[in-house]
Amino acid sequence: DRRLELKTLSAADALITVSQQWADKLSALHKNKTVYAITNGFDPEIVNIPPAKLTAKFTITHIGSIYAGNQEPAKLLAALRDLTVTKAINSDDIEVRFYGPIWDWLDKEIKEYGLDAEVKQYGPLPWQASIERQRESQLLLHFKWEDPLELGAYSLKIFEYLGARRPILATGGYTGDVVQELIEEAESGASAVTVDDIKQVLHTWYQEYKLKGGIDYHGLDSKISKYTHREIARKYSEILGQFT
């Protein structure tokens, strides 16, 4: 694979990948190449302005696929079980929604944690409907990559979440990955690695929900705007301009 990669990219004037960590990996292998990091982004037309009306329940929404073995919903489920069993969160208040492929293994895990009433899979949605589900949700859920060698792994969906302008809960994975860096830079949510971390973050947000009837959004639009498709295209244009 390495020989094929070196041969395939030997004629390239420059290499581009989607995170600085991956750019560093490419630079180590392709020592005579200039390597750039340009992230994925989101369509500025989907930005949630003016903000949509939020759901009445304490709603947590996940959009898209889940990669079993590389992403781990069980940590979130364990946290929710503990919080509902101890009454730190009222089961009647919470709704966790999964939109995307329906996974038998996920249904099994939901049942094992006794969360059939609170957590449900609803199947795939048309793209515009998925945008609406994001905008109305109290929280947006992202599962980080469970591989310490892949701290540079984003998902496309997390950039779309930025456009929804709702707080993001990124669970699992490891401290110091690019997802955590993105969320902290944009002040757009929280990264919670362990079950205890997830419990603490959820309980804090739930208390705000009970006090105010909803969770406030505090993301920095000045930071988030760097990830629109317009800005991403500008960065590509600058690089292409060096070779024309």
Side-chain angles (χ1 to χ4, degrees):
D1 287 345
R2 179 167 294 193
R3 287 196 300 270
L4 180 59
E5 179 180 329
L6 287 167
K7 180 180 178 181
T8 303
L9 300 180
S10 62
D13 293 306
L15 304 177
I16 298 174
T17 187
V18 296
S19 70
Q20 188 57 52
Q21 285 86 340
W22 285 0
D24 292 342
K25 285 185 177 183
L26 280 175
S27 293
L29 181 59
H30 305 276
K31 298 184 185 299
N32 62 333
K33 301 292 183 184
T34 303
V35 183
Y36 300 90
I38 300 181
T39 67
N40 291 302
F42 65 91
D43 185 344
E45 299 299 322
I46 70 168
V47 175
N48 185 15
I49 299 177
K53 182 179 179 180
L54 299 178
T55 56
K57 285 197 169 187
F58 183 64
T59 309
I60 303 171
T61 301
H62 181 277
I63 304 287
S65 294
I66 303 170
Y67 297 91
N70 290 313
Q71 294 174 302
E72 186 51 82
K75 293 179 182 179
L76 173 76
L77 299 176
L80 287 173
R81 177 200 56 196
D82 292 352
L83 289 167
T84 53
V85 166
T86 61
K87 307 299 183 183
I89 289 180
N90 187 331
S91 296
D92 294 334
D93 289 338
I94 192 166
E95 181 181 13
V96 182
R97 313 183 298 187
F98 287 92
Y99 294 103
I102 293 180
W103 308 103
D104 292 338
W105 61 266
L106 181 55
D107 269 340
K108 182 179 178 182
E109 286 192 357
I110 292 168
K111 289 181 173 64
E112 287 174 351
Y113 284 96
L115 294 168
D116 304 62
E118 297 86 0
V119 184
K120 296 187 183 299
Q121 297 190 78
Y122 291 96
L125 283 175
W127 180 76
Q128 186 57 47
S130 77
I131 297 298
E132 293 169 4
R133 297 292 83 75
Q134 291 174 53
R135 290 174 173 177
E136 71 182 13
S137 189
Q138 300 286 348
L139 299 175
L140 298 174
L141 176 61
H142 172 77
F143 297 120
K144 300 203 296 178
W145 213 249
E146 299 285 347
D147 185 345
L149 298 179
E150 293 296 350
L151 299 181
Y154 289 110
S155 70
L156 289 170
K157 190 59 59 180
I158 198 163
F159 293 97
E160 194 172 273
Y161 282 180
L162 292 179
R165 301 178 83 248
R166 297 301 307 145
I168 300 168
L169 172 60
T171 67
Y174 294 84
T175 300
D177 62 4
V178 291
V179 172
Q180 178 183 349
E181 291 174 359
L182 176 66
I183 288 173
E184 290 179 352
E185 175 196 11
E187 297 185 16
S188 58
S191 173
V193 173
T194 68
V195 173
D196 285 342
D197 294 338
I198 298 167
K199 287 166 61 176
Q200 182 177 354
V201 170
L202 280 176
H203 189 239
T204 299
W205 268 327
Y206 178 72
Q207 288 179 313
E208 180 181 349
Y209 161 81
K210 292 298 285 183
L211 180 66
K212 299 180 178 179
I215 300 171
D216 291 337
Y217 169 77
H218 300 289
L220 300 177
D221 288 339
S222 61
K223 300 294 185 180
I224 292 170
S225 63
K226 297 193 306 182
Y227 300 101
T228 65
H229 286 165
R230 287 194 190 99
E231 182 63 16
I232 301 305
R234 185 191 65 77
K235 291 178 180 178
Y236 271 99
S237 177
E238 288 179 351
I239 294 170
L240 290 171
Q242 299 177 34
F243 301 100
T244 57

